[in-house]
Amino acid sequence: MQFVQLTEKEFKDFSKKYKNKCYLQSTNIAEFRKKQGWMAEYVGIKENKKVLAATLLLSKKRHLKKEFYTLRGPQLDYNDEKLLNYFVAALKKYVKENDGYFLRIDPYIEALSLDKDGNPTGEFDNTIISSKLKKLGFKEVKAYKMSDTVQAKFMYVIDLTDNLDSVMADMDSKTRQMIRKNEKQGVTIRVGDSNDVELFEDIMNKTSQRRNFNDRGLEFYQNMYNELIKDNMIELVFAELDIQLARKNLNAELKEIESAKEDREEKRKAGKCNEKKAKVKEQEEAIALEKIAKKNRELAELESKYGKKITLGGILYILYGNEVASLFGGCYEEFKEYQCFYTIHYEMIKYAIKNKYSRYNFYAINNTLDKNDSQYGIYQFKRGFGGHVMELLGEFILPVDKPLYNTIKLLSHLKEKIKRK
């Protein structure tokens, strides 16, 4: 075996066949990260000209020396201990020789099989890999909450079949109800292009202000879109309120009520009407007619203010390997009542099934599933679509220059402690 620099083609070819592939281990992300000030290179293990392991290796100078990071990698068979030991030893040596003081990894491998409540199902257990990494000198980053690691440790996913009905059956009743409600209300989706990146950034900016998180900014989204669209790995999906469709649906509902009235009158004339049931039905129809009238007035006001089609919110999707992943998303405060994410996710689940993806990834949830947690609502919303919790092995750090690493870690800890006071 030999540790080598890989060509872009060699890396691509290996990554394409790798079982646990992730978009963060792609040449597109390498180019994107370069624009963020990182150095990017491809390294791996070869034997008899065959690539046995590969990783995108990022580096950036911080605190006198460089930190190295293999995003959602490295890519190899972790059950092959000889290969794992050799690759880790080679990476450690390479980092040291190239002025690095630590290496960060976070393999894209599930730790345990979990159900929708986060309980182990016993289907598989990969935690032995964590033990192997620790024996090789890695320190596991303790992840009590989502922000403790660079990449999310916990996600929520649906394992897809080619049958939409089975996926729908696994959803809870509220989720199915909201999907149908949005259809009636005229909520549709539109796939954007490069001209819509500014619109997406506006949505994210306003959402970040409302929900108190740091927005990444227009340049971030533009660079990401421009690099990932080269291989059709990214889509911007927007939810829109179609005023004309909403009116059409209201008119259809109105015609149903009118038709029911006509049928009832004919039964009355023929002496076949149950008056007790008829009165209940007429009361229900009166309430429905009031709602239709009110909704038409609201639609008229919205059309006057915003036009015939109104953007409600949007999600940035990653399409890579076997999964469709919902990476970033937001909505406008004034249209929150439409809960447009139900429609976007539903339509993209349909897209994923149609295009033979095997997993739909709602992406990050907080590490705790405690009902008292401030992020619990996000998990609860995703859980409503069925699926299950996905826990990854997590983040590990291999100190190479231990004195410098420990000093920086101590200073960072003191800085955080002062900040909290």
Side-chain angles (χ1 to χ4, degrees):
M1 288 190 287
Q2 187 179 10
F3 178 80
V4 295
Q5 292 274 348
L6 298 174
T7 66
E8 185 174 304
K9 184 181 184 306
E10 286 175 325
F11 175 77
K12 271 187 171 182
D13 290 345
F14 182 86
S15 297
K16 188 177 181 180
K17 296 174 185 176
Y18 185 62
K19 180 184 175 183
N20 299 303
K21 62 176 67 68
C22 176
Y23 82 99
L24 289 167
Q25 280 286 310
S26 69
T27 57
N28 307 73
I29 286 295
E31 295 306 311
F32 169 60
R33 286 286 180 165
K34 285 178 185 178
K35 292 179 179 178
Q36 293 182 307
W38 290 81
M39 288 182 63
E41 55 194 323
Y42 310 109
V43 296
I45 303 296
K46 274 185 176 182
E47 187 172 63
N48 299 324
K49 297 184 179 180
K50 182 182 178 182
V51 179
L52 303 179
T55 193
L56 163 62
L57 187 62
L58 303 172
S59 60
K60 180 183 280 190
K61 190 167 185 178
R62 284 179 178 160
H63 312 297
L64 305 176
K65 285 189 173 184
K66 294 177 188 174
E67 64 174 70
F68 282 75
Y69 188 11
T70 166
L71 273 162
R72 293 302 194 211
Q75 300 177 123
L76 74 152
D77 179 359
Y78 286 82
N79 293 314
D80 185 336
E81 289 201 36
K82 183 180 177 183
L83 177 62
L84 176 62
N85 294 350
Y86 186 88
F87 200 13
V88 169
L91 281 169
K92 184 177 181 179
K93 182 182 177 186
Y94 185 79
V95 169
K96 187 174 183 178
E97 290 176 349
N98 286 274
D99 200 32
Y101 72 99
F102 79 86
L103 169 67
R104 186 195 311 270
I105 70 170
D106 53 3
Y108 200 50
I109 296 173
E110 287 184 74
L112 292 165
S113 59
L114 304 175
D115 63 16
K116 64 173 62 179
D117 298 311
N119 299 315
T121 65
E123 188 179 340
F124 61 82
D125 183 345
N126 289 320
T127 54
I128 186 66
I129 296 173
S130 299
S131 301
K132 291 177 182 178
L133 291 172
K134 289 173 186 175
K135 283 181 181 178
L136 291 171
F138 281 95
K139 297 178 182 295
E140 184 177 1
V141 177
K142 298 302 179 185
Y144 302 105
K145 57 185 184 297
M146 198 189 305
S147 58
D148 288 338
T149 51
V150 178
Q151 297 296 325
K153 178 176 168 65
F154 285 82
M155 299 179 172
Y156 201 87
V157 303
I158 300 175
D159 294 326
L160 300 173
T161 67
D162 58 0
N163 189 337
L164 178 62
D165 290 339
S166 67
V167 176
M168 291 290 289
D170 202 31
M171 296 180 187
D172 66 27
S173 58
K174 181 191 173 183
T175 300
R176 290 194 297 267
Q177 183 183 8
M178 287 305 304
I179 290 168
R180 289 192 294 266
K181 181 181 177 182
N182 277 358
E183 285 176 352
K184 288 178 68 176
Q185 290 192 119
V187 178
T188 61
I189 68 161
R190 173 180 70 85
V191 177
D193 57 28
S194 59
N195 297 316
D196 292 295
V197 177
E198 286 191 35
L199 171 61
F200 182 74
E201 153 56 18
D202 185 62
I203 292 170
M204 292 305 298
N205 181 265
K206 288 181 169 59
T207 303
S208 69
Q209 292 175 30
R210 184 173 72 249
R211 291 177 50 192
N212 195 30
F213 64 82
N214 291 324
D215 177 39
R216 289 167 171 79
L218 180 58
E219 185 179 9
F220 175 94
Y221 295 117
Q222 285 177 328
N223 287 340
M224 175 176 262
Y225 187 90
N226 291 339
E227 289 303 331
L228 271 61
I229 198 63
K230 291 174 183 176
D231 287 310
N232 298 315
M233 290 167 55
I234 190 169
E235 277 192 351
L236 294 175
V237 183
F238 298 95
E240 294 182 330
L241 176 62
D242 187 327
I243 300 290
Q244 289 180 322
L245 179 59
R247 283 205 184 101
K248 181 181 176 182
N249 292 340
L250 287 173
N251 288 336
E253 194 176 339
L254 192 60
K255 285 180 180 178
E256 284 182 12
I257 293 172
E258 290 171 351
S259 178
K261 281 184 176 181
E262 290 173 4
D263 289 345
R264 196 162 50 246
E265 286 306 312
E266 286 181 9
K267 287 179 180 178
R268 275 199 176 107
K269 288 174 184 178
K272 296 179 180 179
C273 181
N274 183 323
E275 288 300 331
K276 187 176 179 180
K277 288 183 178 180
K279 284 181 180 178
V280 172
K281 194 65 181 173
E282 284 167 353
Q283 288 173 350
E284 291 174 351
E285 288 170 348
I287 293 170
L289 288 170
E290 284 180 20
K291 287 182 179 178
I292 290 170
K294 182 183 177 185
K295 194 64 186 177
N296 270 318
R297 290 193 297 272
E298 290 174 357
L299 290 173
E301 289 175 13
L302 287 170
E303 183 178 16
S304 175
K305 189 173 181 180
Y306 300 104
K308 294 186 184 300
K309 287 192 176 180
I310 305 167
T311 300
L312 308 175
I315 295 177
L316 184 154
Y317 278 92
I318 300 296
L319 318 174
Y320 188 78
N322 70 333
E323 70 178 13
V324 172
S326 163
L327 196 59
F328 308 118
C331 66
Y332 287 122
E333 171 79 17
E334 54 267 47
F335 308 121
K336 276 177 67 180
E337 65 177 281
Y338 287 96
Q339 300 191 59
C340 65
F341 292 139
Y342 282 101
T343 298
I344 298 177
H345 285 302
Y346 172 61
E347 293 298 331
M348 288 303 288
I349 288 170
K350 285 164 59 179
Y351 170 89
I353 291 171
K354 181 181 178 182
N355 289 277
K356 308 298 182 184
Y357 287 93
S358 60
R359 184 160 69 200
Y360 185 86
N361 192 342
F362 289 93
Y363 228 67
I365 56 174
N366 212 1
N367 298 16
T368 171
L369 303 181
D370 183 356
K371 291 183 179 180
N372 298 315
D373 187 273
S374 62
Q375 305 265 351
Y376 183 78
I378 295 172
Y379 155 69
Q380 196 173 32
F381 165 78
K382 295 174 181 180
R383 184 184 182 280
F385 283 84
H388 62 90
V389 175
M390 183 168 87
E391 179 187 3
L392 298 171
L393 290 176
E395 191 173 289
F396 298 84
I397 287 178
L398 181 65
V400 174
D401 183 336
K402 288 184 179 180
L404 179 59
Y405 173 78
N406 290 331
T407 299
I408 291 168
K409 189 177 179 182
L410 177 61
L411 290 173
S412 297
H413 177 71
L414 291 172
K415 187 178 177 181
E416 285 297 316
K417 199 171 181 181
I418 293 168
K419 202 184 287 184
R420 286 195 295 266
K421 285 185 177 180

